Amino acid sequence: MRSLFFSGLFIFMVSLFLGYPVLPGLDEAKGPQAPTGLRCEYLVNPLGVDTLKPRFSWVLEHGERGQGQSSYEILVSTQPNAEEGDLWASGKVDSTDSTQVVYAGKPLQSGSSYYWKVRYWDRDGRQSPFSQVARFDTGLFSRADWKGKWIGGKNQLRKEFELGKKALRARAYVCGLGYSELRLNGHKVGRNVLDPAWTTYDKRALYVTYDVTGYLQTGPNAVAAMLGQGWFKATVLLVQINIELEGGEKLEVVSDASWKGMDGPVVANSVYNGETYDARLETPGWDRAGYDDGQWSAAEVVAGPKGVLSAQMMPAIQVVDTIVPLKMASPEPGVYVFDMGQNFSGWAQLRVRGQRGTAVKLRFAEMVYDNGMINQENLRGARAEDVYILKGEGEEVWEPRFTYHGFRYVELSGYPGVPAVNGVRGRVVHTAVEPVGSFACSKPVLNSLQRIIIWGQKTNLHSTPTDCCQRDERMGWMGDAQGTAEEAIYNFDMAAFYANFLRDIRDVQDEKGTITDTVPHIWGSRPADPAWGTAYPLIAWYFYQYYGDRRVLEDYYDGIKKYVEFLRTRAENDLVKFSYYGDWVAVDRTPGDIVSSFYYYYDVKVLAEMAKVLGKEADAKAYGDLASAIKTAFHREYFDPKTRSYANGTQTANTLPLFLDLVPEKMRGSVWGSLFDNIVYKNNSHLTTGIIGTKYIMELLTNNGSSDLAYDIATQTTYPSWGYMIENGATSLWELWQLRQGPSMNSHNHPMFGSVGSWLYKALAGINLAPESTGFEKIRIVPQMVRDLRYAAGSTRTVRGEVSSSWSRDDRTVRLEVVIPVGSEAEVVIPGFNLENVVIKEGDQAVWNGQGYKAGIQGIRSIEKAQAGFLIKVGSGRYAFKLQGD
Ligand code: RAM
């Protein structure tokens, strides 16, 4: 007792001395800790929650291994301390659910702030402290809550208003199409750019909610907005600021005919072509109170978009990073070309001094010619050109608002004098999803691959998952989206993003059930190519699997069923053969119809699974039967006994049926043989697949004992391979395996071949969902320790917390460290490499001593010798295993 007291005192003194927070008591440190990572509808402190039944998620923390939640208690309150739970005091609920717990309190009000916190009881019934308090704000629930009118006519709009008292709470709700920048008292509100997210405007437009309390002042105020064309290709604005003053008075400032407007300095703007800004047309002070707008015209009340208004409930597009150029060259007199060293989406910030009226032109490109001039040929119809006209007042710093480019190089012309290398800075702009993953290993080419995947992925999140960010497309091409979804989920927190995208997909669905190649729909066809349309069922299904979100299935089941029923109307003898793109941009072409039939099967099967989860027995049976029929038809139609291959025997043609188990048992061996021959002998362990085959082939090989071959493929550096892109200077993924730089289709920032990113996590780091499990409640850690790979490490933050796996090895030792979230459990497989007299330790303690398992170590449930190595079952916690043998 006494020594405990003294060591406690000692720790206390040391932490005081070092300035650390005082450590909790020893017993407390071992037990359940306050939950962290509080999320409401996938966001931390979201604004504008427009559902009446939001859902809550939290991450459990515990000082012991093998722990989890047995009960929870949530308090939701109108008060910032959330002490009372005046809206919802859930009471102690016996449940292991710690994600997506549905609000069940008193009805939530429109436009209000709520506070919540949670605690839990562990498996031994010990209670955790309460979490910190998190906030969520409801949006405007109904159209009637919007008091303002859509206004337009001009692109720069303003209005002054008076506040008699201090504002205690103020929220601005704004939908300014195509893009808008809201300003209050001289400041841009918030950090969003290119806002709001692009939608099918006839169906839906998104409003953004800002906490603007801090922008307001007692006395006169000014609200203003700048509008850009965006994808709406017109400019309209709807704003409402709800303000609560000291003393309880409430008022609303809304857009209406009393606003004033003029066309400001942004004289032209277009997503593809760029922006022209004439600084001479600036009207200083226009966004502050007291400005004389006598010359301005009255704003016009206009018709808004036809769709409903919904809250933007995902991260906005923001300037996420700033890049200093690597170097500057002057390939021609007066022309300066900056190399940013990285291909990305965004724009350049310009710094310039010069005479009033001087026009500086900025042009953007992914490539340069041998002579150093920029090569814009592959941008096709996108002009990608910004112009800044100086006002001539000292140093001028400018960046555009209503366009973005995909580029590595920036060309400046018309610049007065010689720019400094930092005369231009790269502004990296994309939907600000949080990175949640990391991967690194001992093979440099794979680390470069991870790097170009990350750049390709994040810079193609522009409120929709875009195909590219430079040429005249930048569309939510659904094939690209479905192919990269798992990779994106391992690397970024995609929950809110895909929740939004699924709704976007539903918005394009028509009466017949058809959806479109791109969402929102501009490019491509209706109905979508089945390999593109499959994004609807597959992204919903990945969402359910990775985030454990059942509501997504409930919400989209009917739509997905309708889509599948549409496909069925196009089926002949249980196969769907129409196809436009098929295994897109392959080296060896695969007939499109086999790809479409594969997805018809996949969609039906996934629908049957969804029906099972939702307890729709009849549908589960009916679609299960349909899937079996398609399976039979598929083999009958496409299998060629002479070649022991499907269709024309390409890698993709054999990969697809193997991947979904469409090959009858007795033929499997020979189809494998054909696939193997094709990869190894015909193509020297290179892929010849397009985006569809590539998505499945690596995983297929890995799950069937050929991870060595998958690794050979992944580490190639000759054509066609990812390494070939890297050897040729790729800083983001290319659209094609080929190196092309002409006017044809060859984007140098196209994420679709990045589907291999999930393989890095699943195979090399070994992080997998256990079959049948969702939301990482059950995990399988099965690292592939292949060939010359000496170590690999991956981690990904899941809805339950961090999962990580890192291993290293030498001749007789394998070390593996894993982290399993509280409330989850895992099967961990450590390969035994045919070593003898194996001893496994966890930390300092032996857990396997040659013969068997030594019980009694916290969190470790069992160890067995299995075919792939040693199978260790563990509960939550961090484990450091070391396997040693002779
Ligand atoms: C291209 C797009 C996209 C692809 C379609 C079929 O134009 O860039 O990547 O999905 O075609």
Side-chain angles (χ1 to χ4, degrees):
M1 236 4 253
R2 248 174 92 190
S3 65
L4 245 183
F5 173 78
F6 279 111
S7 59
L9 189 71
F10 177 71
I11 293 172
F12 178 79
M13 300 291 284
V14 170
S15 32
L16 274 188
F17 175 71
L18 294 172
Y20 292 145
V22 177
L23 296 173
L26 291 178
D27 283 333
E28 225 180 290
K30 276 203 205 145
Q33 312 285 299
T36 59
L38 270 58
R39 280 169 192 254
C40 171
E41 289 300 307
Y42 295 115
L43 296 170
V44 183
N45 297 340
L47 296 175
V49 174
D50 64 353
T51 153
L52 294 169
K53 297 235 174 277
R55 294 159 311 156
F56 302 109
S57 305
W58 56 92
V59 172
L60 305 169
E61 304 284 344
H62 205 293
E64 291 168 13
R65 289 174 175 167
Q67 269 296 348
Q69 172 184 293
S70 59
S71 322
Y72 65 78
E73 181 182 8
I74 298 178
L75 297 180
V76 181
S77 168
T78 51
Q79 299 308 311
N81 58 17
E83 281 314 326
E84 303 300 328
D86 54 350
L87 283 165
W88 189 35
S90 70
K92 186 174 172 187
V93 180
D94 290 343
S95 163
T96 56
D97 291 350
S98 56
T99 63
Q100 294 118 31
V101 171
V102 181
Y103 176 75
K106 292 186 193 146
L108 299 175
Q109 305 300 314
S110 185
S112 307
S113 296
Y114 298 108
Y115 304 87
W116 70 285
K117 60 184 182 182
V118 58
R119 65 176 164 182
Y120 79 103
W121 284 262
D122 70 8
R123 287 182 179 152
D124 305 315
R126 286 173 295 176
Q127 167 192 311
S128 81
F130 267 110
S131 66
Q132 290 190 345
V133 176
R135 187 184 86 190
F136 69 97
D137 266 31
T138 46
L140 299 185
F141 284 154
S142 80
R143 192 66 185 85
D145 293 327
W146 289 89
K147 308 284 187 243
K149 302 208 158 61
W150 287 98
I151 56 173
K154 299 287 181 205
N155 296 332
Q156 215 172 274
L157 297 156
R158 74 182 304 276
K159 158 95 186 168
E160 293 193 18
F161 58 96
E162 212 34 58
L163 295 180
K165 290 211 174 102
K166 188 169 181 241
L168 294 184
R169 179 184 188 274
R171 298 288 182 272
Y173 307 93
V174 53
C175 177
L177 302 178
Y179 294 140
S180 58
E181 177 175 305
L182 184 70
R183 304 186 67 86
L184 266 171
N185 295 328
H187 300 282
K188 170 175 160 56
V189 174
R191 293 182 47 212
N192 301 358
V193 297
L194 307 179
D195 220 22
W198 172 22
T199 48
T200 302
Y201 299 108
D202 282 352
K203 286 282 171 61
R204 185 184 312 278
L206 300 183
Y207 67 89
V208 182
T209 307
Y210 292 108
D211 179 349
V212 293
T213 320
Y215 291 84
L216 299 177
Q217 58 203 28
T218 312
N221 290 266
V223 55
M226 292 173 79
L227 301 175
Q229 302 282 313
W231 297 103
F232 189 63
K233 308 242 167 88
T235 53
V236 290
L237 175 71
L238 181 68
V239 181
Q240 173 156 334
I241 310 178
N242 289 2
I243 307 170
E244 287 171 35
L245 298 178
E246 227 166 35
E249 191 194 333
K250 292 188 178 177
L251 68 137
E252 285 149 356
V253 176
V254 302
S255 49
D256 58 23
S258 71
W259 287 50
K260 291 291 196 61
M262 69 108 73
D263 285 326
V266 179
V267 292
N269 68 95
S270 130
V271 175
Y272 294 151
N273 296 333
E275 178 170 318
T276 300
Y277 187 94
D278 188 344
R280 295 170 304 182
L281 302 178
E282 284 177 357
T283 47
W286 74 286
D287 51 2
R288 290 180 185 276
Y291 177 79
D292 177 7
D293 59 14
Q295 300 300 310
W296 290 39
S297 43
E300 285 168 34
V301 172
V302 296
K306 285 199 215 117
V308 296
L309 279 169
S310 298
Q312 180 164 305
M313 284 291 292
M314 66 164 165
I317 300 173
Q318 294 187 334
V319 176
V320 176
D321 200 2
T322 300
I323 301 185
V324 182
L326 273 188
K327 54 180 187 234
M328 182 190 80
S330 181
E332 271 179 16
V335 175
Y336 301 95
V337 174
F338 294 80
D339 178 0
M340 309 308 301
Q342 176 63 50
N343 191 323
F344 64 99
S345 61
W347 52 69
Q349 184 190 59
L350 174 72
R351 224 162 256 275
V352 60
R353 272 170 198 278
Q355 260 182 17
R356 188 172 174 83
T358 312
V360 179
K361 193 186 281 182
L362 302 96
R363 293 165 70 230
F364 299 83
E366 295 190 298
M367 302 169 292
V368 285
Y369 295 108
D370 289 345
N371 65 7
M373 294 293 278
I374 61 163
N375 173 350
Q376 282 190 324
E377 289 177 46
N378 70 339
L379 305 188
R380 302 192 311 215
R383 199 157 15 141
E385 178 181 299
D386 295 342
V387 178
Y388 179 74
I389 302 169
L390 280 72
K391 57 190 166 199
E393 294 167 13
E395 186 179 57
E396 300 178 36
V397 181
W398 174 80
E399 55 195 278
R401 286 180 172 79
F402 301 130
T403 187
Y404 76 97
H405 313 291
F407 64 102
R408 171 172 170 172
Y409 300 94
V410 186
E411 179 203 86
L412 274 194
S413 59
Y415 193 91
V418 178
V421 182
N422 70 358
V424 152
R425 300 219 165 183
R427 302 280 266 169
V428 181
V429 178
H430 54 79
T431 297
V433 289
E434 263 181 73
V436 296
S438 65
F439 173 82
C441 68
S442 61
K443 194 75 173 173
V445 68
L446 296 180
N447 295 333
S448 302
L449 172 59
Q450 166 71 2
R451 191 173 182 281
I452 66 174
I453 290 172
I454 293 289
W455 277 98
Q457 180 56 260
K458 67 184 179 186
T459 62
N460 277 295
L461 299 175
H462 273 264
S463 81
T464 62
T466 61
D467 61 325
C468 61
C469 44
Q470 69 299 93
R471 69 174 179 229
D472 54 356
E473 286 196 60
R474 314 185 203 178
M475 295 280 123
W477 280 99
M478 300 258 278
D480 313 37
Q482 61 97 349
T484 50
E486 284 192 275
E487 166 270 303
I489 288 169
Y490 273 99
N491 283 310
F492 297 97
D493 181 350
M494 298 298 291
F497 186 92
Y498 284 141
N500 183 79
F501 189 56
L502 284 167
R503 187 172 65 180
D504 284 345
I505 298 175
R506 183 169 63 195
D507 282 347
V508 301
Q509 189 165 35
D510 70 3
E511 272 310 296
K512 292 189 213 123
T514 70
I515 52 179
T516 48
D517 281 333
T518 58
V519 170
H521 185 211
I522 295 184
W523 280 63
S525 301
R526 175 189 294 278
D529 180 308
W532 271 239
T534 193
Y536 198 8
L538 287 191
I539 292 179
W541 188 241
Y542 293 140
F543 202 105
Y544 169 68
Q545 290 186 307
Y546 285 100
Y547 299 122
D549 186 337
R550 227 183 105 99
R551 192 192 272 180
V552 151
L553 301 189
E554 290 162 6
D555 286 354
Y556 295 102
Y557 183 80
D558 290 345
I560 291 168
K561 180 173 167 181
K562 210 166 157 191
Y563 172 63
V564 166
E565 284 301 327
F566 156 73
L567 284 181
R568 198 177 187 167
T569 65
R570 299 291 296 263
E572 281 167 49
N573 303 321
D574 291 321
L575 299 174
V576 167
K577 295 191 170 178
F578 80 96
S579 163
Y580 325 130
Y581 321 114
D583 187 30
W584 185 241
V585 294
V587 174
D588 285 347
R589 226 194 123 261
T590 301
D593 61 331
I594 186 176
V595 177
S596 292
S597 289
F598 164 82
Y599 279 110
Y600 180 43
Y601 174 75
Y602 206 164
D603 295 351
V604 170
K605 201 171 141 54
V606 160
L607 183 65
E609 297 287 330
M610 290 176 175
K612 217 186 284 168
V613 174
L614 297 176
K616 297 176 188 290
E617 308 292 334
D619 276 13
K621 166 94 177 57
Y623 290 110
D625 290 349
L626 178 57
S628 307
I630 302 170
K631 184 171 176 168
T632 310
F634 189 99
H635 180 72
R636 194 195 316 119
E637 174 83 6
Y638 297 113
F639 184 67
D640 178 351
K642 285 204 293 297
T643 58
R644 296 176 306 163
S645 281
Y646 286 79
N648 62 347
T650 57
Q651 292 173 6
T652 296
N654 284 330
T655 291
L656 300 182
L658 284 168
F659 184 79
L660 286 188
D661 229 352
L662 295 171
V663 186
E665 188 58 45
K666 53 180 193 306
M667 261 72 109
R668 268 185 86 84
S670 41
V671 177
W672 263 107
S674 306
L675 176 61
F676 234 79
D677 286 354
N678 184 305
I679 301 173
V680 177
Y681 300 111
K682 199 164 166 214
N683 291 292
N684 288 317
S685 303
H686 288 76
L687 293 185
T688 58
T689 46
I691 62 166
I692 302 300
T694 303
K695 163 70 189 151
Y696 306 108
I697 195 165
M698 303 295 282
E699 209 166 300
L700 175 74
L701 292 171
T702 304
N703 294 343
N704 289 278
S706 295
S707 42
D708 283 355
L709 179 55
Y711 179 77
D712 289 346
I713 292 169
T715 53
Q716 289 292 3
T717 54
T718 46
Y719 172 80
S721 66
W722 294 282
Y724 176 75
M725 299 182 193
I726 293 158
E727 291 279 302
N728 282 284
T731 59
S732 52
L733 283 161
W734 295 349
E735 177 175 26
L736 307 176
W737 292 120
Q738 294 84 353
L739 171 58
R740 291 215 181 113
Q741 307 191 319
S744 59
M745 194 189 84
N746 63 99
S747 137
H748 288 233
N749 189 352
H750 225 85
M752 61 200 188
F753 277 123
S755 57
V756 65
S758 55
W759 178 82
L760 297 176
Y761 284 90
K762 289 187 191 180
L764 300 187
I767 301 174
N768 295 271
L769 288 167
E772 312 289 316
S773 164
T774 63
F776 287 95
E777 195 168 6
K778 296 207 170 94
I779 300 165
R780 266 179 74 78
I781 304 278
V782 195
Q784 305 297 318
M785 303 185 183
V786 287
R787 303 277 199 224
D788 61 346
L789 197 64
R790 304 320 293 178
Y791 63 82
S795 77
T796 185
R797 204 187 69 212
T798 73
V799 281
R800 287 193 159 67
E802 170 118 347
V803 178
S804 96
S805 160
S806 66
W807 60 266
S808 64
R809 62 176 170 130
D810 53 40
D811 290 347
R812 279 191 290 276
T813 317
V814 179
R815 288 169 204 272
L816 172 63
E817 261 193 64
V818 299
V819 177
I820 307 302
V822 182
S824 297
E825 52 188 62
E827 289 186 359
V828 178
V829 178
I830 311 183
F833 294 104
N834 298 324
L835 291 171
E836 284 175 16
N837 304 320
V838 166
V839 174
I840 303 176
K841 283 183 171 175
E842 194 287 309
D844 297 338
Q845 288 172 295
V847 290
W848 177 276
N849 60 7
Q851 336 297 322
Y853 163 55
K854 239 177 104 268
I857 295 184
Q858 195 184 60
I860 302 182
R861 307 219 165 119
S862 66
I863 305 186
E864 287 160 41
K865 220 171 155 188
Q867 210 196 356
F870 291 84
L871 173 68
I872 309 179
K873 293 194 176 158
V874 298
S876 63
R878 176 183 290 271
Y879 301 85
F881 294 107
K882 181 174 163 195
L883 178 151
Q884 223 160 3
D886 301 321

